[in-house]
Amino acid sequence: MRIDELDAKIVRLFSEEQRMSVLEASRILRVARATVQARLDRMTSSGVIGSWVPQPEPRAFGFPVVAFCFLTINQDLGHDAVSKALADIPEVIEVHTVSGDSDLLARVAARSNSDLQRVLDIMMATRAVVRSSTVIVLNTHFEGRTLPLLEAAARG
C-alpha cells in the first residue's frame, strides 16, 4: 500500500499517544476528523497498522531474561507442526523460519537463566526440535522499531 506523509504523521501521533481520540488527532494535525478516521481504517484494513492491541512487556511482569534460539527441527514433522508445538510454550514469544544453518529462530522470555534452561528443555521435549543454539540478550537498545521505516517510505 502506498502511504504518504500524513499517514506517517497519523501513525506517529497514535504511537506516541495510544489513547488519543480521532477528534484530538484531527485538531493536532489540522485535518478533518473523517480524514483521520478514513486513513486509520485504510491503513488497518491493508495491514500497515497491524494491531491496536496493547503489547505486554515481559520484563514488567517477571520475565527479564530474553534469548534468541536458533533451532534445528525434526524435518519429518514439518514447519507447521513444529511451530504449533512451540506455540504451546508460553515463554516462546516469536518464531520465524530462517535461512542459514538453522531452520527456525525463536525469541524466548524467562524469569532467570535457570528458568531459560527449563524452557529450552521443554522445547527439546517436544521432539520437534532436534538441536538448539541459544544467545542471551544482555541489553536491548531498541526493538519493534518500524515507525522510522514507515516515515522513510512516506517520504519516498
Side-chain angles (χ1 to χ4, degrees):
M1 181 190 130
R2 178 115 172 97
I3 58 164
D4 62 21
E5 292 197 33
L6 180 58
D7 293 325
K9 288 177 183 178
I10 290 169
V11 173
R12 175 165 290 283
L13 197 57
F14 280 97
S15 295
E16 292 173 349
E17 190 60 50
Q18 298 88 6
R19 300 175 100 179
M20 177 176 292
S21 71
V22 173
L23 180 59
E24 179 66 18
S26 71
R27 288 179 182 151
I28 291 170
L29 296 170
R30 298 178 189 267
V31 296
R33 186 203 60 76
T35 300
V36 174
Q37 187 63 61
R39 285 178 177 245
L40 286 171
D41 292 345
R42 180 175 52 92
M43 288 187 286
T44 300
S45 67
S46 68
V48 170
I49 296 175
S51 176
W52 288 95
V53 178
Q55 292 295 318
E57 178 54 56
R59 287 179 283 256
F61 56 91
F63 291 83
V65 176
V66 176
F68 289 95
C69 305
F70 298 90
L71 307 175
T72 302
I73 65 169
N74 181 342
Q75 295 293 325
D76 292 338
L77 296 176
H79 284 81
D80 291 341
V82 174
S83 63
K84 183 181 178 335
L86 294 174
D88 289 338
I89 304 169
E91 294 87 353
V92 178
I93 298 171
E94 294 177 22
V95 175
H96 307 273
T97 298
V98 295
S99 63
D101 294 334
S102 301
D103 299 309
L104 299 176
L105 174 63
R107 184 166 67 116
V108 175
R111 294 184 183 280
S112 63
N113 288 352
S114 60
D115 187 49
L116 175 60
Q117 181 64 60
R118 177 191 63 79
V119 175
L120 294 171
D121 290 345
I122 292 170
M123 290 168 55
M124 296 302 291
T126 66
R127 302 289 184 228
V129 176
V130 176
R131 185 177 9 208
S132 72
S133 174
T134 302
V135 293
I136 296 173
V137 174
L138 299 177
N139 188 19
T140 299
H141 300 279
F142 56 82
E143 60 188 351
R145 187 175 175 261
T146 57
L147 189 54
L149 179 61
L150 177 87
E151 290 171 334
R155 288 190 300 272

